[in-house]
Amino acid sequence: MGLFLFITQVMIFSVSILSAPYTDQAAFSAYKFVEAALSKKHEVRRIFFYGEGVLNANHLNTPPQDEINLYEAWKELASSHQVELIVCIASALRRGVLDEDEAKRYEKDGHSMQAPFILSGLGQLMDAAIESDRLITFGS
Amino acid sequence: MSTLHTLSINPSSLHSIQSFIDIMGETDELLLLANGVYGALVDAKINIPLEQLRDSGKLYALKDDLLARGIPASAPKRATLISYEGFVDLVVKHQNTYNWV
């Protein structure tokens, strides 16, 4: 009985992703985890992309059409489940992941990131840890 | 306070699987995912220490990740096979999750 109650309890999750989409399976595992959590009626508040993980947010990623498009999959989570997609700005700028404002600031020809992904700082990861019942890390 | 440990590299590439098991708390559990699922195969003799966890029902492996590596669900395993939904339940069950890459 106790265990049953435990498992049906609704929780707030946040996820941090430290791996690029094609380096290993971590980003895809994270996506499958989030999908499963949502299917079990949990809330997924925030996904924090950090280190190489920021490469998930590059809107120029163009995988072959017969493969899963992880970028589109993240976007879909934001629009259908209000999941916040936060990208570490210090990691992102180093890797050429810039939204329009940053591209202008650094006088670049184009930008590689846009809404619903949001550039922000590590404080948002700390905040996710405080506000969520569980914070799970994928990748290294 | 208990911890769910997740391991996503092949455990046979760890320096010592026994020292890994030794740092686990009494109520902790281990989930093998991604390349970690190779540790669930009974033919991998190097991972025999994992059977201590299996015997106390604390060793799990993601079924989807086994299938993605061409390992049939019918192959002899030393772990309980679970879905990603089962993974979510384990995260709920334990207060902490620690990812060992």
mmCIF file with all atom_site columns, all heavy atoms in Angstrom, chain A residues 40-66:
data_model
loop_
_atom_site.group_PDB
_atom_site.id
_atom_site.type_symbol
_atom_site.label_atom_id
_atom_site.label_alt_id
_atom_site.label_comp_id
_atom_site.label_asym_id
_atom_site.label_entity_id
_atom_site.label_seq_id
_atom_site.pdbx_PDB_ins_code
_atom_site.Cartn_x
_atom_site.Cartn_y
_atom_site.Cartn_z
_atom_site.occupancy
_atom_site.B_iso_or_equiv
_atom_site.pdbx_formal_charge
_atom_site.auth_seq_id
_atom_site.auth_comp_id
_atom_site.auth_asym_id
_atom_site.auth_atom_id
_atom_site.pdbx_PDB_model_num
ATOM 1   N N   . LYS A 1 40 ? 3.134  9.828  -17.181 1.00 0.00 ? 40 LYS A N   1
ATOM 2   C CA  . LYS A 1 40 ? 2.678  9.411  -15.856 1.00 0.00 ? 40 LYS A CA  1
ATOM 3   C C   . LYS A 1 40 ? 2.106  10.581 -15.054 1.00 0.00 ? 40 LYS A C   1
ATOM 4   O O   . LYS A 1 40 ? 1.952  10.494 -13.836 1.00 0.00 ? 40 LYS A O   1
ATOM 5   C CB  . LYS A 1 40 ? 3.831  8.747  -15.092 1.00 0.00 ? 40 LYS A CB  1
ATOM 6   C CG  . LYS A 1 40 ? 4.292  7.445  -15.747 1.00 0.00 ? 40 LYS A CG  1
ATOM 7   C CD  . LYS A 1 40 ? 5.224  6.667  -14.862 1.00 0.00 ? 40 LYS A CD  1
ATOM 8   C CE  . LYS A 1 40 ? 4.499  6.058  -13.700 1.00 0.00 ? 40 LYS A CE  1
ATOM 9   N NZ  . LYS A 1 40 ? 4.065  4.672  -13.914 1.00 0.00 ? 40 LYS A NZ  1
ATOM 10  N N   . LYS A 1 41 ? 1.845  11.671 -15.744 1.00 0.00 ? 41 LYS A N   1
ATOM 11  C CA  . LYS A 1 41 ? 1.168  12.857 -15.172 1.00 0.00 ? 41 LYS A CA  1
ATOM 12  C C   . LYS A 1 41 ? 2.030  13.646 -14.193 1.00 0.00 ? 41 LYS A C   1
ATOM 13  O O   . LYS A 1 41 ? 1.521  14.447 -13.409 1.00 0.00 ? 41 LYS A O   1
ATOM 14  C CB  . LYS A 1 41 ? -0.177 12.481 -14.491 1.00 0.00 ? 41 LYS A CB  1
ATOM 15  C CG  . LYS A 1 41 ? -1.111 11.690 -15.378 1.00 0.00 ? 41 LYS A CG  1
ATOM 16  C CD  . LYS A 1 41 ? -1.608 12.517 -16.544 1.00 0.00 ? 41 LYS A CD  1
ATOM 17  C CE  . LYS A 1 41 ? -2.463 11.688 -17.483 1.00 0.00 ? 41 LYS A CE  1
ATOM 18  N NZ  . LYS A 1 41 ? -2.429 12.185 -18.870 1.00 0.00 ? 41 LYS A NZ  1
ATOM 19  N N   . HIS A 1 42 ? 3.332  13.433 -14.223 1.00 0.00 ? 42 HIS A N   1
ATOM 20  C CA  . HIS A 1 42 ? 4.211  14.284 -13.426 1.00 0.00 ? 42 HIS A CA  1
ATOM 21  C C   . HIS A 1 42 ? 4.387  15.602 -14.175 1.00 0.00 ? 42 HIS A C   1
ATOM 22  O O   . HIS A 1 42 ? 4.139  15.691 -15.377 1.00 0.00 ? 42 HIS A O   1
ATOM 23  C CB  . HIS A 1 42 ? 5.582  13.631 -13.230 1.00 0.00 ? 42 HIS A CB  1
ATOM 24  C CG  . HIS A 1 42 ? 5.542  12.386 -12.402 1.00 0.00 ? 42 HIS A CG  1
ATOM 25  N ND1 . HIS A 1 42 ? 5.213  12.394 -11.068 1.00 0.00 ? 42 HIS A ND1 1
ATOM 26  C CD2 . HIS A 1 42 ? 5.772  11.088 -12.721 1.00 0.00 ? 42 HIS A CD2 1
ATOM 27  C CE1 . HIS A 1 42 ? 5.248  11.146 -10.611 1.00 0.00 ? 42 HIS A CE1 1
ATOM 28  N NE2 . HIS A 1 42 ? 5.578  10.342 -11.586 1.00 0.00 ? 42 HIS A NE2 1
ATOM 29  N N   . GLU A 1 43 ? 4.860  16.627 -13.440 1.00 0.00 ? 43 GLU A N   1
ATOM 30  C CA  . GLU A 1 43 ? 5.169  17.900 -14.095 1.00 0.00 ? 43 GLU A CA  1
ATOM 31  C C   . GLU A 1 43 ? 6.675  17.946 -14.364 1.00 0.00 ? 43 GLU A C   1
ATOM 32  O O   . GLU A 1 43 ? 7.468  17.625 -13.475 1.00 0.00 ? 43 GLU A O   1
ATOM 33  C CB  . GLU A 1 43 ? 4.765  19.066 -13.185 1.00 0.00 ? 43 GLU A CB  1
ATOM 34  C CG  . GLU A 1 43 ? 5.105  20.423 -13.812 1.00 0.00 ? 43 GLU A CG  1
ATOM 35  C CD  . GLU A 1 43 ? 4.888  21.595 -12.849 1.00 0.00 ? 43 GLU A CD  1
ATOM 36  O OE1 . GLU A 1 43 ? 4.095  21.465 -11.900 1.00 0.00 ? 43 GLU A OE1 1
ATOM 37  O OE2 . GLU A 1 43 ? 5.538  22.632 -13.068 1.00 0.00 ? 43 GLU A OE2 1
ATOM 38  N N   . VAL A 1 44 ? 7.044  18.324 -15.565 1.00 0.00 ? 44 VAL A N   1
ATOM 39  C CA  . VAL A 1 44 ? 8.462  18.568 -15.848 1.00 0.00 ? 44 VAL A CA  1
ATOM 40  C C   . VAL A 1 44 ? 8.615  20.074 -16.012 1.00 0.00 ? 44 VAL A C   1
ATOM 41  O O   . VAL A 1 44 ? 8.092  20.666 -16.950 1.00 0.00 ? 44 VAL A O   1
ATOM 42  C CB  . VAL A 1 44 ? 8.946  17.807 -17.100 1.00 0.00 ? 44 VAL A CB  1
ATOM 43  C CG1 . VAL A 1 44 ? 10.420 18.111 -17.368 1.00 0.00 ? 44 VAL A CG1 1
ATOM 44  C CG2 . VAL A 1 44 ? 8.740  16.311 -16.920 1.00 0.00 ? 44 VAL A CG2 1
ATOM 45  N N   . ARG A 1 45 ? 9.264  20.682 -15.045 1.00 0.00 ? 45 ARG A N   1
ATOM 46  C CA  . ARG A 1 45 ? 9.302  22.144 -15.009 1.00 0.00 ? 45 ARG A CA  1
ATOM 47  C C   . ARG A 1 45 ? 10.356 22.723 -15.927 1.00 0.00 ? 45 ARG A C   1
ATOM 48  O O   . ARG A 1 45 ? 10.098 23.636 -16.680 1.00 0.00 ? 45 ARG A O   1
ATOM 49  C CB  . ARG A 1 45 ? 9.557  22.615 -13.569 1.00 0.00 ? 45 ARG A CB  1
ATOM 50  C CG  . ARG A 1 45 ? 9.567  24.131 -13.449 1.00 0.00 ? 45 ARG A CG  1
ATOM 51  C CD  . ARG A 1 45 ? 9.204  24.598 -12.083 1.00 0.00 ? 45 ARG A CD  1
ATOM 52  N NE  . ARG A 1 45 ? 7.843  24.200 -11.704 1.00 0.00 ? 45 ARG A NE  1
ATOM 53  C CZ  . ARG A 1 45 ? 7.327  24.400 -10.497 1.00 0.00 ? 45 ARG A CZ  1
ATOM 54  N NH1 . ARG A 1 45 ? 8.052  24.957 -9.558  1.00 0.00 ? 45 ARG A NH1 1
ATOM 55  N NH2 . ARG A 1 45 ? 6.106  24.026 -10.219 1.00 0.00 ? 45 ARG A NH2 1
ATOM 56  N N   . ARG A 1 46 ? 11.573 22.180 -15.858 1.00 0.00 ? 46 ARG A N   1
ATOM 57  C CA  . ARG A 1 46 ? 12.667 22.828 -16.566 1.00 0.00 ? 46 ARG A CA  1
ATOM 58  C C   . ARG A 1 46 ? 13.672 21.809 -17.080 1.00 0.00 ? 46 ARG A C   1
ATOM 59  O O   . ARG A 1 46 ? 13.989 20.841 -16.394 1.00 0.00 ? 46 ARG A O   1
ATOM 60  C CB  . ARG A 1 46 ? 13.361 23.795 -15.608 1.00 0.00 ? 46 ARG A CB  1
ATOM 61  C CG  . ARG A 1 46 ? 14.535 24.569 -16.202 1.00 0.00 ? 46 ARG A CG  1
ATOM 62  C CD  . ARG A 1 46 ? 14.980 25.645 -15.237 1.00 0.00 ? 46 ARG A CD  1
ATOM 63  N NE  . ARG A 1 46 ? 13.913 26.596 -14.976 1.00 0.00 ? 46 ARG A NE  1
ATOM 64  C CZ  . ARG A 1 46 ? 13.854 27.401 -13.917 1.00 0.00 ? 46 ARG A CZ  1
ATOM 65  N NH1 . ARG A 1 46 ? 14.794 27.360 -13.015 1.00 0.00 ? 46 ARG A NH1 1
ATOM 66  N NH2 . ARG A 1 46 ? 12.851 28.240 -13.760 1.00 0.00 ? 46 ARG A NH2 1
ATOM 67  N N   . ILE A 1 47 ? 14.168 22.054 -18.273 1.00 0.00 ? 47 ILE A N   1
ATOM 68  C CA  . ILE A 1 47 ? 15.302 21.279 -18.776 1.00 0.00 ? 47 ILE A CA  1
ATOM 69  C C   . ILE A 1 47 ? 16.442 22.269 -18.915 1.00 0.00 ? 47 ILE A C   1
ATOM 70  O O   . ILE A 1 47 ? 16.299 23.327 -19.544 1.00 0.00 ? 47 ILE A O   1
ATOM 71  C CB  . ILE A 1 47 ? 14.973 20.600 -20.119 1.00 0.00 ? 47 ILE A CB  1
ATOM 72  C CG1 . ILE A 1 47 ? 13.770 19.660 -19.938 1.00 0.00 ? 47 ILE A CG1 1
ATOM 73  C CG2 . ILE A 1 47 ? 16.185 19.829 -20.639 1.00 0.00 ? 47 ILE A CG2 1
ATOM 74  C CD1 . ILE A 1 47 ? 13.292 18.994 -21.204 1.00 0.00 ? 47 ILE A CD1 1
ATOM 75  N N   . PHE A 1 48 ? 17.569 21.948 -18.276 1.00 0.00 ? 48 PHE A N   1
ATOM 76  C CA  . PHE A 1 48 ? 18.713 22.858 -18.281 1.00 0.00 ? 48 PHE A CA  1
ATOM 77  C C   . PHE A 1 48 ? 19.823 22.241 -19.129 1.00 0.00 ? 48 PHE A C   1
ATOM 78  O O   . PHE A 1 48 ? 20.328 21.161 -18.820 1.00 0.00 ? 48 PHE A O   1
ATOM 79  C CB  . PHE A 1 48 ? 19.195 23.103 -16.846 1.00 0.00 ? 48 PHE A CB  1
ATOM 80  C CG  . PHE A 1 48 ? 20.198 24.213 -16.749 1.00 0.00 ? 48 PHE A CG  1
ATOM 81  C CD1 . PHE A 1 48 ? 19.786 25.537 -16.646 1.00 0.00 ? 48 PHE A CD1 1
ATOM 82  C CD2 . PHE A 1 48 ? 21.559 23.937 -16.782 1.00 0.00 ? 48 PHE A CD2 1
ATOM 83  C CE1 . PHE A 1 48 ? 20.718 26.563 -16.579 1.00 0.00 ? 48 PHE A CE1 1
ATOM 84  C CE2 . PHE A 1 48 ? 22.494 24.970 -16.719 1.00 0.00 ? 48 PHE A CE2 1
ATOM 85  C CZ  . PHE A 1 48 ? 22.066 26.292 -16.617 1.00 0.00 ? 48 PHE A CZ  1
ATOM 86  N N   . PHE A 1 49 ? 20.180 22.920 -20.204 1.00 0.00 ? 49 PHE A N   1
ATOM 87  C CA  . PHE A 1 49 ? 21.220 22.440 -21.117 1.00 0.00 ? 49 PHE A CA  1
ATOM 88  C C   . PHE A 1 49 ? 22.532 23.113 -20.738 1.00 0.00 ? 49 PHE A C   1
ATOM 89  O O   . PHE A 1 49 ? 22.617 24.354 -20.704 1.00 0.00 ? 49 PHE A O   1
ATOM 90  C CB  . PHE A 1 49 ? 20.848 22.780 -22.570 1.00 0.00 ? 49 PHE A CB  1
ATOM 91  C CG  . PHE A 1 49 ? 19.567 22.124 -23.025 1.00 0.00 ? 49 PHE A CG  1
ATOM 92  C CD1 . PHE A 1 49 ? 18.347 22.776 -22.885 1.00 0.00 ? 49 PHE A CD1 1
ATOM 93  C CD2 . PHE A 1 49 ? 19.577 20.855 -23.583 1.00 0.00 ? 49 PHE A CD2 1
ATOM 94  C CE1 . PHE A 1 49 ? 17.163 22.176 -23.301 1.00 0.00 ? 49 PHE A CE1 1
ATOM 95  C CE2 . PHE A 1 49 ? 18.398 20.235 -24.002 1.00 0.00 ? 49 PHE A CE2 1
ATOM 96  C CZ  . PHE A 1 49 ? 17.190 20.907 -23.853 1.00 0.00 ? 49 PHE A CZ  1
ATOM 97  N N   . TYR A 1 50 ? 23.539 22.296 -20.459 1.00 0.00 ? 50 TYR A N   1
ATOM 98  C CA  . TYR A 1 50 ? 24.777 22.811 -19.883 1.00 0.00 ? 50 TYR A CA  1
ATOM 99  C C   . TYR A 1 50 ? 25.967 22.138 -20.580 1.00 0.00 ? 50 TYR A C   1
ATOM 100 O O   . TYR A 1 50 ? 25.866 21.011 -21.063 1.00 0.00 ? 50 TYR A O   1
ATOM 101 C CB  . TYR A 1 50 ? 24.760 22.482 -18.387 1.00 0.00 ? 50 TYR A CB  1
ATOM 102 C CG  . TYR A 1 50 ? 25.940 22.937 -17.588 1.00 0.00 ? 50 TYR A CG  1
ATOM 103 C CD1 . TYR A 1 50 ? 26.362 24.259 -17.646 1.00 0.00 ? 50 TYR A CD1 1
ATOM 104 C CD2 . TYR A 1 50 ? 26.622 22.063 -16.749 1.00 0.00 ? 50 TYR A CD2 1
ATOM 105 C CE1 . TYR A 1 50 ? 27.448 24.683 -16.902 1.00 0.00 ? 50 TYR A CE1 1
ATOM 106 C CE2 . TYR A 1 50 ? 27.696 22.482 -15.985 1.00 0.00 ? 50 TYR A CE2 1
ATOM 107 C CZ  . TYR A 1 50 ? 28.107 23.795 -16.068 1.00 0.00 ? 50 TYR A CZ  1
ATOM 108 O OH  . TYR A 1 50 ? 29.175 24.207 -15.328 1.00 0.00 ? 50 TYR A OH  1
ATOM 109 N N   . GLY A 1 51 ? 27.109 22.809 -20.643 1.00 0.00 ? 51 GLY A N   1
ATOM 110 C CA  . GLY A 1 51 ? 28.285 22.215 -21.308 1.00 0.00 ? 51 GLY A CA  1
ATOM 111 C C   . GLY A 1 51 ? 27.943 21.860 -22.750 1.00 0.00 ? 51 GLY A C   1
ATOM 112 O O   . GLY A 1 51 ? 27.258 22.621 -23.442 1.00 0.00 ? 51 GLY A O   1
ATOM 113 N N   . GLU A 1 52 ? 28.413 20.677 -23.191 1.00 0.00 ? 52 GLU A N   1
ATOM 114 C CA  . GLU A 1 52 ? 28.129 20.239 -24.567 1.00 0.00 ? 52 GLU A CA  1
ATOM 115 C C   . GLU A 1 52 ? 26.624 20.122 -24.821 1.00 0.00 ? 52 GLU A C   1
ATOM 116 O O   . GLU A 1 52 ? 26.170 20.134 -25.971 1.00 0.00 ? 52 GLU A O   1
ATOM 117 C CB  . GLU A 1 52 ? 28.800 18.894 -24.844 1.00 0.00 ? 52 GLU A CB  1
ATOM 118 C CG  . GLU A 1 52 ? 30.322 18.897 -24.725 1.00 0.00 ? 52 GLU A CG  1
ATOM 119 C CD  . GLU A 1 52 ? 30.995 19.670 -25.837 1.00 0.00 ? 52 GLU A CD  1
ATOM 120 O OE1 . GLU A 1 52 ? 30.575 19.513 -26.990 1.00 0.00 ? 52 GLU A OE1 1
ATOM 121 O OE2 . GLU A 1 52 ? 31.933 20.427 -25.544 1.00 0.00 ? 52 GLU A OE2 1
ATOM 122 N N   . GLY A 1 53 ? 25.858 19.996 -23.753 1.00 0.00 ? 53 GLY A N   1
ATOM 123 C CA  . GLY A 1 53 ? 24.401 19.859 -23.883 1.00 0.00 ? 53 GLY A CA  1
ATOM 124 C C   . GLY A 1 53 ? 23.739 21.014 -24.614 1.00 0.00 ? 53 GLY A C   1
ATOM 125 O O   . GLY A 1 53 ? 22.662 20.864 -25.198 1.00 0.00 ? 53 GLY A O   1
ATOM 126 N N   . VAL A 1 54 ? 24.397 22.191 -24.617 1.00 0.00 ? 54 VAL A N   1
ATOM 127 C CA  . VAL A 1 54 ? 23.794 23.364 -25.276 1.00 0.00 ? 54 VAL A CA  1
ATOM 128 C C   . VAL A 1 54 ? 23.630 23.135 -26.786 1.00 0.00 ? 54 VAL A C   1
ATOM 129 O O   . VAL A 1 54 ? 22.820 23.797 -27.424 1.00 0.00 ? 54 VAL A O   1
ATOM 130 C CB  . VAL A 1 54 ? 24.603 24.670 -25.053 1.00 0.00 ? 54 VAL A CB  1
ATOM 131 C CG1 . VAL A 1 54 ? 24.725 24.986 -23.566 1.00 0.00 ? 54 VAL A CG1 1
ATOM 132 C CG2 . VAL A 1 54 ? 25.976 24.601 -25.709 1.00 0.00 ? 54 VAL A CG2 1
ATOM 133 N N   . LEU A 1 55 ? 24.386 22.180 -27.344 1.00 0.00 ? 55 LEU A N   1
ATOM 134 C CA  . LEU A 1 55 ? 24.286 21.928 -28.793 1.00 0.00 ? 55 LEU A CA  1
ATOM 135 C C   . LEU A 1 55 ? 22.915 21.361 -29.182 1.00 0.00 ? 55 LEU A C   1
ATOM 136 O O   . LEU A 1 55 ? 22.547 21.383 -30.355 1.00 0.00 ? 55 LEU A O   1
ATOM 137 C CB  . LEU A 1 55 ? 25.429 21.015 -29.257 1.00 0.00 ? 55 LEU A CB  1
ATOM 138 C CG  . LEU A 1 55 ? 26.823 21.654 -29.102 1.00 0.00 ? 55 LEU A CG  1
ATOM 139 C CD1 . LEU A 1 55 ? 27.928 20.639 -29.350 1.00 0.00 ? 55 LEU A CD1 1
ATOM 140 C CD2 . LEU A 1 55 ? 26.987 22.839 -30.058 1.00 0.00 ? 55 LEU A CD2 1
ATOM 141 N N   . ASN A 1 56 ? 22.160 20.883 -28.190 1.00 0.00 ? 56 ASN A N   1
ATOM 142 C CA  . ASN A 1 56 ? 20.772 20.470 -28.441 1.00 0.00 ? 56 ASN A CA  1
ATOM 143 C C   . ASN A 1 56 ? 19.899 21.640 -28.877 1.00 0.00 ? 56 ASN A C   1
ATOM 144 O O   . ASN A 1 56 ? 18.864 21.452 -29.489 1.00 0.00 ? 56 ASN A O   1
ATOM 145 C CB  . ASN A 1 56 ? 20.149 19.879 -27.168 1.00 0.00 ? 56 ASN A CB  1
ATOM 146 C CG  . ASN A 1 56 ? 20.615 18.469 -26.884 1.00 0.00 ? 56 ASN A CG  1
ATOM 147 O OD1 . ASN A 1 56 ? 20.095 17.527 -27.462 1.00 0.00 ? 56 ASN A OD1 1
ATOM 148 N ND2 . ASN A 1 56 ? 21.608 18.341 -26.014 1.00 0.00 ? 56 ASN A ND2 1
ATOM 149 N N   . ALA A 1 57 ? 20.312 22.862 -28.507 1.00 0.00 ? 57 ALA A N   1
ATOM 150 C CA  . ALA A 1 57 ? 19.466 24.043 -28.720 1.00 0.00 ? 57 ALA A CA  1
ATOM 151 C C   . ALA A 1 57 ? 19.745 24.741 -30.045 1.00 0.00 ? 57 ALA A C   1
ATOM 152 O O   . ALA A 1 57 ? 19.110 25.746 -30.349 1.00 0.00 ? 57 ALA A O   1
ATOM 153 C CB  . ALA A 1 57 ? 19.674 25.024 -27.562 1.00 0.00 ? 57 ALA A CB  1
ATOM 154 N N   . ASN A 1 58 ? 20.683 24.210 -30.828 1.00 0.00 ? 58 ASN A N   1
ATOM 155 C CA  . ASN A 1 58 ? 21.032 24.855 -32.107 1.00 0.00 ? 58 ASN A CA  1
ATOM 156 C C   . ASN A 1 58 ? 19.930 24.588 -33.139 1.00 0.00 ? 58 ASN A C   1
ATOM 157 O O   . ASN A 1 58 ? 19.734 23.436 -33.548 1.00 0.00 ? 58 ASN A O   1
ATOM 158 C CB  . ASN A 1 58 ? 22.376 24.302 -32.585 1.00 0.00 ? 58 ASN A CB  1
ATOM 159 C CG  . ASN A 1 58 ? 22.880 25.006 -33.837 1.00 0.00 ? 58 ASN A CG  1
ATOM 160 O OD1 . ASN A 1 58 ? 22.111 25.599 -34.587 1.00 0.00 ? 58 ASN A OD1 1
ATOM 161 N ND2 . ASN A 1 58 ? 24.173 24.927 -34.058 1.00 0.00 ? 58 ASN A ND2 1
ATOM 162 N N   . HIS A 1 59 ? 19.220 25.618 -33.554 1.00 0.00 ? 59 HIS A N   1
ATOM 163 C CA  . HIS A 1 59 ? 18.091 25.385 -34.465 1.00 0.00 ? 59 HIS A CA  1
ATOM 164 C C   . HIS A 1 59 ? 18.548 25.054 -35.892 1.00 0.00 ? 59 HIS A C   1
ATOM 165 O O   . HIS A 1 59 ? 17.746 24.708 -36.746 1.00 0.00 ? 59 HIS A O   1
ATOM 166 C CB  . HIS A 1 59 ? 17.092 26.548 -34.453 1.00 0.00 ? 59 HIS A CB  1
ATOM 167 C CG  . HIS A 1 59 ? 17.544 27.794 -35.154 1.00 0.00 ? 59 HIS A CG  1
ATOM 168 N ND1 . HIS A 1 59 ? 17.545 29.020 -34.529 1.00 0.00 ? 59 HIS A ND1 1
ATOM 169 C CD2 . HIS A 1 59 ? 17.985 28.029 -36.406 1.00 0.00 ? 59 HIS A CD2 1
ATOM 170 C CE1 . HIS A 1 59 ? 17.988 29.941 -35.382 1.00 0.00 ? 59 HIS A CE1 1
ATOM 171 N NE2 . HIS A 1 59 ? 18.263 29.362 -36.520 1.00 0.00 ? 59 HIS A NE2 1
ATOM 172 N N   . LEU A 1 60 ? 19.869 25.152 -36.130 1.00 0.00 ? 60 LEU A N   1
ATOM 173 C CA  . LEU A 1 60 ? 20.387 24.786 -37.456 1.00 0.00 ? 60 LEU A CA  1
ATOM 174 C C   . LEU A 1 60 ? 20.670 23.279 -37.559 1.00 0.00 ? 60 LEU A C   1
ATOM 175 O O   . LEU A 1 60 ? 20.998 22.783 -38.642 1.00 0.00 ? 60 LEU A O   1
ATOM 176 C CB  . LEU A 1 60 ? 21.667 25.585 -37.756 1.00 0.00 ? 60 LEU A CB  1
ATOM 177 C CG  . LEU A 1 60 ? 21.485 27.112 -37.759 1.00 0.00 ? 60 LEU A CG  1
ATOM 178 C CD1 . LEU A 1 60 ? 22.836 27.809 -37.951 1.00 0.00 ? 60 LEU A CD1 1
ATOM 179 C CD2 . LEU A 1 60 ? 20.530 27.549 -38.850 1.00 0.00 ? 60 LEU A CD2 1
ATOM 180 N N   . ASN A 1 61 ? 20.528 22.552 -36.454 1.00 0.00 ? 61 ASN A N   1
ATOM 181 C CA  . ASN A 1 61 ? 20.700 21.086 -36.499 1.00 0.00 ? 61 ASN A CA  1
ATOM 182 C C   . ASN A 1 61 ? 19.737 20.508 -37.531 1.00 0.00 ? 61 ASN A C   1
ATOM 183 O O   . ASN A 1 61 ? 18.539 20.771 -37.465 1.00 0.00 ? 61 ASN A O   1
ATOM 184 C CB  . ASN A 1 61 ? 20.378 20.455 -35.133 1.00 0.00 ? 61 ASN A CB  1
ATOM 185 C CG  . ASN A 1 61 ? 21.401 20.798 -34.069 1.00 0.00 ? 61 ASN A CG  1
ATOM 186 O OD1 . ASN A 1 61 ? 22.471 21.327 -34.371 1.00 0.00 ? 61 ASN A OD1 1
ATOM 187 N ND2 . ASN A 1 61 ? 21.078 20.507 -32.814 1.00 0.00 ? 61 ASN A ND2 1
ATOM 188 N N   . THR A 1 62 ? 20.272 19.751 -38.487 1.00 0.00 ? 62 THR A N   1
ATOM 189 C CA  . THR A 1 62 ? 19.431 19.237 -39.577 1.00 0.00 ? 62 THR A CA  1
ATOM 190 C C   . THR A 1 62 ? 19.666 17.735 -39.772 1.00 0.00 ? 62 THR A C   1
ATOM 191 O O   . THR A 1 62 ? 20.397 17.329 -40.681 1.00 0.00 ? 62 THR A O   1
ATOM 192 C CB  . THR A 1 62 ? 19.756 19.992 -40.895 1.00 0.00 ? 62 THR A CB  1
ATOM 193 O OG1 . THR A 1 62 ? 19.786 21.399 -40.621 1.00 0.00 ? 62 THR A OG1 1
ATOM 194 C CG2 . THR A 1 62 ? 18.707 19.713 -41.965 1.00 0.00 ? 62 THR A CG2 1
ATOM 195 N N   . PRO A 1 63 ? 19.069 16.914 -38.912 1.00 0.00 ? 63 PRO A N   1
ATOM 196 C CA  . PRO A 1 63 ? 19.256 15.470 -39.074 1.00 0.00 ? 63 PRO A CA  1
ATOM 197 C C   . PRO A 1 63 ? 18.502 14.943 -40.291 1.00 0.00 ? 63 PRO A C   1
ATOM 198 O O   . PRO A 1 63 ? 17.557 15.599 -40.747 1.00 0.00 ? 63 PRO A O   1
ATOM 199 C CB  . PRO A 1 63 ? 18.688 14.889 -37.771 1.00 0.00 ? 63 PRO A CB  1
ATOM 200 C CG  . PRO A 1 63 ? 17.722 15.914 -37.285 1.00 0.00 ? 63 PRO A CG  1
ATOM 201 C CD  . PRO A 1 63 ? 18.222 17.242 -37.747 1.00 0.00 ? 63 PRO A CD  1
ATOM 202 N N   . PRO A 1 64 ? 18.899 13.776 -40.842 1.00 0.00 ? 64 PRO A N   1
ATOM 203 C CA  . PRO A 1 64 ? 18.151 13.195 -41.965 1.00 0.00 ? 64 PRO A CA  1
ATOM 204 C C   . PRO A 1 64 ? 16.674 13.009 -41.583 1.00 0.00 ? 64 PRO A C   1
ATOM 205 O O   . PRO A 1 64 ? 16.356 12.787 -40.414 1.00 0.00 ? 64 PRO A O   1
ATOM 206 C CB  . PRO A 1 64 ? 18.826 11.825 -42.165 1.00 0.00 ? 64 PRO A CB  1
ATOM 207 C CG  . PRO A 1 64 ? 20.141 11.923 -41.504 1.00 0.00 ? 64 PRO A CG  1
ATOM 208 C CD  . PRO A 1 64 ? 20.000 12.922 -40.404 1.00 0.00 ? 64 PRO A CD  1
ATOM 209 N N   . GLN A 1 65 ? 15.813 13.089 -42.595 1.00 0.00 ? 65 GLN A N   1
ATOM 210 C CA  . GLN A 1 65 ? 14.376 13.079 -42.306 1.00 0.00 ? 65 GLN A CA  1
ATOM 211 C C   . GLN A 1 65 ? 13.861 11.759 -41.734 1.00 0.00 ? 65 GLN A C   1
ATOM 212 O O   . GLN A 1 65 ? 12.804 11.734 -41.116 1.00 0.00 ? 65 GLN A O   1
ATOM 213 C CB  . GLN A 1 65 ? 13.598 13.444 -43.573 1.00 0.00 ? 65 GLN A CB  1
ATOM 214 C CG  . GLN A 1 65 ? 13.734 14.934 -43.881 1.00 0.00 ? 65 GLN A CG  1
ATOM 215 C CD  . GLN A 1 65 ? 12.914 15.348 -45.080 1.00 0.00 ? 65 GLN A CD  1
ATOM 216 O OE1 . GLN A 1 65 ? 12.400 14.512 -45.807 1.00 0.00 ? 65 GLN A OE1 1
ATOM 217 N NE2 . GLN A 1 65 ? 12.816 16.652 -45.304 1.00 0.00 ? 65 GLN A NE2 1
ATOM 218 N N   . ASP A 1 66 ? 14.618 10.661 -41.966 1.00 0.00 ? 66 ASP A N   1
ATOM 219 C CA  . ASP A 1 66 ? 14.138 9.381  -41.422 1.00 0.00 ? 66 ASP A CA  1
ATOM 220 C C   . ASP A 1 66 ? 14.683 9.097  -40.023 1.00 0.00 ? 66 ASP A C   1
ATOM 221 O O   . ASP A 1 66 ? 14.530 8.009  -39.496 1.00 0.00 ? 66 ASP A O   1
ATOM 222 C CB  . ASP A 1 66 ? 14.471 8.226  -42.387 1.00 0.00 ? 66 ASP A CB  1
ATOM 223 C CG  . ASP A 1 66 ? 15.972 8.106  -42.643 1.00 0.00 ? 66 ASP A CG  1
ATOM 224 O OD1 . ASP A 1 66 ? 16.722 9.027  -42.264 1.00 0.00 ? 66 ASP A OD1 1
ATOM 225 O OD2 . ASP A 1 66 ? 16.385 7.087  -43.228 1.00 0.00 ? 66 ASP A OD2 1
#
